[in-house]
Amino acid sequence: ILGVGDVEEVPVEGQALRLGSRRLMRESGIDDATLDRVAARVEAAERSLAYLGVAATAGRPAQLVGALGFADPIRPEAREAVAALTRAGIQSVMLSGDNAAAAQAVAQAIGITRVEADLLPADKVAALARLKGAHRVVAMVGDGINDAPALAAADVGIAMASGSDIALHAAGITLMRSDPRLAAAAIALSRRTYAKI
């Protein structure tokens, strides 16, 4: 999905199409009222949303022509992973590029109470800086291209084995299976190792 910094126009039958976020559509000249009408229907179903717009031409303003609502299935182990981190004294915060409704639904399902949504990769890095500013050590668990800058900026970056190559390279720890419970296990192993040393 294209973000604000990833403007790419794809010509289709002589029209330049853009697929991406609300921010991208706004930058393309599509008004908020049009976007709100579509979002109200799709986001009510707690889905993330990507818009499809036709770029403006000399004789015609930009136009919204479609939207895609999608949701990732929640990993069955995710709630147990968050609970294990909580028992270890670690507060979990969800940083998501998804819209607020979709992110809140996932967070509630897995036991996370603090959520920041609609974030671009740079926004995730800024959120980590705010968390670090409270004199905390911050770990980031992620698997996507959009997570790579935050994985690199965290005190400890933890990537899932199924993640993108750039996420794997940015992280200090790679979990060998795509099981989020392994993040808590890695932290516990690290604490025991450090205590031995």
Side-chain angles (χ1 to χ4, degrees):
I1 302 302
L2 301 177
V4 174
D6 305 313
V7 177
E8 181 178 325
E9 293 184 354
V10 180
V12 177
E13 296 182 5
Q15 299 183 76
L17 299 180
R18 291 180 172 187
L19 176 67
S21 68
R22 174 182 279 263
R23 291 179 189 179
L24 179 62
M25 293 300 112
R26 270 197 218 112
E27 286 183 355
S28 300
I30 296 171
D31 65 280
D32 276 325
T34 301
L35 299 172
D36 287 342
R37 280 195 302 277
V38 174
R41 293 199 327 251
V42 178
E43 291 179 359
E46 297 170 343
R47 298 191 179 282
S48 292
L49 190 57
Y51 299 92
L52 180 63
V54 177
T57 61
R60 188 195 64 220
Q63 180 182 9
L64 184 67
V65 295
L68 303 169
F70 53 93
D72 290 327
I74 297 172
R75 293 180 188 270
E77 312 88 2
R79 186 169 188 79
E80 190 178 332
V82 171
L85 291 169
T86 302
R87 285 192 303 274
I90 298 168
Q91 179 188 14
S92 296
V93 177
M94 179 183 285
L95 305 178
S96 177
D98 291 337
N99 67 64
Q104 286 286 357
V106 171
Q108 185 175 3
I110 64 175
I112 293 178
T113 57
R114 185 169 171 192
V115 179
E116 293 189 36
D118 292 309
L119 301 180
L120 296 173
D123 298 330
K124 291 181 182 181
V125 172
L128 287 179
R130 286 192 303 276
L131 291 169
K132 284 183 180 186
H135 306 292
R136 295 184 178 122
V137 174
V138 177
M140 168 74 181
V141 180
D143 62 359
I145 293 170
N146 291 338
D147 294 326
L151 287 167
D155 293 307
V156 179
I158 303 173
M160 306 290 252
S162 62
S164 66
D165 287 344
I166 192 166
L168 297 175
H169 288 295
I173 297 172
T174 299
L175 303 177
M176 298 311 292
R177 294 188 317 274
S178 293
D179 182 343
R181 294 173 297 189
L182 294 177
I187 292 168
L189 178 61
S190 175
R191 286 175 169 173
R192 288 197 300 271
T193 303
Y194 189 77
K196 283 282 189 191
I197 292 169

